[in-house]
Structure formats: C-alpha cells, structure tokens
Amino acid sequence: MGTVSYYETDYSWVWEIAGFIGAVVLAIAGFGWLLRRILGVERKKWFSPSSNFVNGFHEKVNNYFRWGNLALYVVTLAVFGFQKGALYFMVLTILIGGIQELFNAYMEKKHANNPNAYKYTLLHYPASMVILISCAGAFFPEMIDAFIKQLS
C-alpha cells in the first residue's frame, strides 16, 4: 500500500546523534584533562558555587549572564521564529558564552589562588567550540549546508 510501518522506520539518526555526543564529550573532557594537567589547575565541581566563583561579585555577575542569556534566547526565538532563529541562537550562544568566559578569566586572574586558572579558562572555551563545530560538521554535514544557506 506504500505506507511504512513502525518497524520499517529508519532510526539510523539516533546512532549519529549518540556518536556526535560521545565524540564531543570525550574530546572536550580529554582536552580539559590534558590542559588541567599541563597548567596544574584543579578540576572545578560542576554544581558547587564555592569552587566555581572566586567571590560574591563573580557569582552575581555570572547569574546576570545566565538570566540575560535566557532572555535573549526567548526574544530571538520570538522575533525570528524557529527556522531563521536557529542560526541567531547558535551565534548568540557562542558570543555570550565567550564574553562570560572572558569575565570569568578576568575574575580568576585578579582573585584566584592559582595563577594559571585564568589561562585554563581562556584556552578551554575556544578549543571546546572548535571541537563542537568540527564534530558537528563531521557528523552532520547537511547542518553546515543549512547554516550557509541561511547566511546567504
């Protein structure tokens, strides 16, 4: 009859996403481990404010970045919609994340106990973005074509 049943549906995309997530996590974690080892920086706990911020001002400004970022995402998706807004969403994520990491590096340089903590912050974010974009291009080349088409 020309219809596709449930068991005939192609689910190969699930393996592509799993491979992408696995490759990105392993590459970023491996690079972070190597960079921490070289610079002698301790690993920060993921959800512990005591190890992620050097003082109260740092925590307060970081929260402003988080909530402001969320507000910009909502406004971007409301203004441009989900089709055109996806490109702006990605650009906003990279730019605001970069500004936030620059602020973190500044605060670590001025107030952190370890003099190499800010170097780790300055090197880890751009390398992580390069890894993420490279893996996205390797696993989903059609995504790169879609973004280039949106730019033109």
Side-chain angles (χ1 to χ4, degrees):
M1 290 194 198
T3 61
V4 177
S5 71
Y6 176 77
Y7 297 105
E8 295 174 355
T9 305
D10 182 27
Y11 289 108
S12 64
W13 59 271
V14 174
W15 294 109
E16 291 175 7
I17 291 175
F20 168 72
I21 291 171
V24 167
V25 166
L26 286 174
I28 290 175
F31 179 75
W33 175 82
L34 183 66
L35 197 57
R36 277 193 311 275
R37 192 75 124 163
I38 291 169
L39 295 174
V41 176
E42 290 183 24
R43 185 177 67 87
K44 295 178 183 178
K45 296 178 183 167
W46 283 8
F47 298 107
S48 172
S50 63
S51 71
N52 292 335
F53 306 113
V54 292
N55 57 26
F57 177 72
H58 185 199
E59 184 175 5
K60 181 193 266 187
V61 172
N62 204 358
N63 284 334
Y64 287 142
F65 271 116
R66 288 179 185 164
W67 289 107
N69 202 6
L70 177 66
L72 280 173
Y73 290 157
V74 170
V75 168
T76 300
L77 290 176
V79 170
F80 297 108
F82 286 101
Q83 294 297 323
K84 192 86 167 161
L87 177 64
Y88 297 123
F89 184 79
M90 295 296 291
V91 170
L92 274 176
T93 300
I94 292 171
L95 287 178
I96 292 174
I99 293 168
Q100 185 175 3
E101 288 300 310
L102 285 173
F103 176 75
N104 287 340
Y106 171 76
M107 292 301 288
E108 288 172 351
K109 181 169 177 57
K110 293 292 182 191
H111 302 288
N113 296 332
N114 189 341
N116 289 332
Y118 81 96
K119 293 175 187 175
Y120 174 81
T121 302
L122 286 176
L123 292 172
H124 191 259
Y125 183 76
S128 297
M129 289 298 104
V130 167
I131 290 170
L132 182 72
I133 292 169
S134 299
C135 286
F139 280 90
F140 308 109
E142 64 275 359
M143 183 182 77
I144 302 295
D145 293 337
F147 281 132
I148 290 173
K149 193 179 290 184
Q150 277 190 357
L151 286 174
S152 59

